[in-house]
Amino acid sequence: DLQKEVTSIIVLTETPLAAIQLTNKLKKGFQAQAVNPIIVMRTLMDNLVGNIRYALMVLTGLIIIVSGIGIFVSIYNSMSDRKREIAVMRALGARRQQVFSIILLESILLTVGGGLLGLLLGHGLVFLAAPIVTARSGLLIDPLHFETVELLILPVLLAMATLIGILPGMTAYRTDVAKALYD
C-alpha cells in the first residue's frame, strides 16, 4: 500500500499567470509542493540558446558579406570578358544607361535570388529535420516559424546588390565602343 501513493501530478493551466498563482498557493501548505519549470526553461533558453543564436546571426552576416564580395569580384572580372559584347550592344543602339541597368540588374538578380534560395533551403531543411529532432530529443520545432530578422534580409540584400553592381556597371558604362570592337 505504501508503494501505491501518488508522487506527482501534472497540472496544465490555461495561462502562465494561473500557473504562478497555483504555485504560490501550493507553497503555503505542507501537503504539496509545486514546480513551475517555465521560468527555469526560459532562463536556460535565453542564456544558452540566445548566445548560440547570436553567434549564428553574426556568422550569417559574415557569410552574406563574403558572398557579396564574391559576387562583386565575379561580375567585375567578367566585365573584361564581356567588353566586346557590351560594345556590340552599344553599336546596335543600346544607350549607356541601358548597359549600366543590365549590369545592375544582373547583380540584383544574383544576390536577391541567392538570398531567396538560401531562405527556402534553410526552412526546407528545418522542415525535413524537425521530425527527426523531435523524435530524438523531444524538442518541438516549428518549421514554418519565421523570425522578424528574416524580413530584413531581402532589403539588406537589395541594398548590397545595388552597391555591388555600381562599379561593374560604371565600367560597362564607360566602355569605349571603338576600342572594344577593334581589340
Side-chain angles (χ1 to χ4, degrees):
D1 285 340
L2 291 175
Q3 292 179 352
K4 293 182 183 178
E5 290 183 18
V6 175
T7 58
S8 64
I9 298 173
I10 296 177
V11 178
L12 299 175
T13 58
E14 298 275 329
T15 63
L17 181 61
I20 292 170
Q21 288 173 343
L22 179 63
T23 302
N24 290 337
K25 284 181 185 177
L26 290 175
K27 282 183 181 178
K28 291 179 182 175
F30 295 106
Q31 296 296 320
Q33 193 176 31
V35 177
N36 190 355
I38 294 173
I39 298 167
V40 175
M41 291 302 292
R42 188 78 204 159
T43 305
L44 176 71
M45 294 300 274
D46 288 343
N47 291 339
L48 180 67
V49 177
N51 292 334
I52 294 170
R53 186 174 166 207
Y54 178 72
L56 289 174
M57 294 296 285
V58 169
L59 184 65
T60 300
L62 291 173
I63 289 170
I64 288 172
I65 290 169
V66 169
S67 298
I69 292 169
I71 291 170
F72 169 75
V73 169
S74 173
I75 291 174
Y76 192 77
N77 286 339
S78 74
M79 294 310 299
S80 62
D81 297 336
R82 294 193 283 176
K83 279 189 179 184
R84 186 166 180 82
E85 288 87 4
I86 292 169
V88 169
M89 285 173 43
R90 293 279 317 283
L92 292 175
R95 295 190 318 266
R96 289 178 183 253
Q97 293 84 3
Q98 288 174 321
V99 174
F100 178 81
S101 298
I102 288 170
I103 302 302
L104 193 59
L105 184 64
E106 177 184 1
S107 170
I108 290 171
L109 286 176
L110 282 172
T111 306
V112 174
L116 286 173
L117 184 63
L119 279 172
L120 289 174
L121 283 174
H123 282 280
L125 287 173
V126 170
F127 190 79
L128 292 174
I132 297 167
V133 170
T134 301
R136 291 187 181 202
S137 68
L139 290 173
L140 295 175
I141 297 174
D142 182 12
L144 300 177
H145 177 73
F146 281 87
E147 290 288 325
T148 54
V149 174
E150 291 180 72
L151 298 175
L152 294 174
I153 290 175
L154 290 179
V156 166
L157 287 177
L158 187 61
M160 185 178 77
T162 304
L163 290 174
I164 288 170
I166 287 177
L167 189 60
M170 291 303 292
T171 303
Y173 184 89
R174 293 181 184 139
T175 298
D176 184 11
V177 176
K179 185 179 178 187
L181 287 175
Y182 182 72
D183 290 337

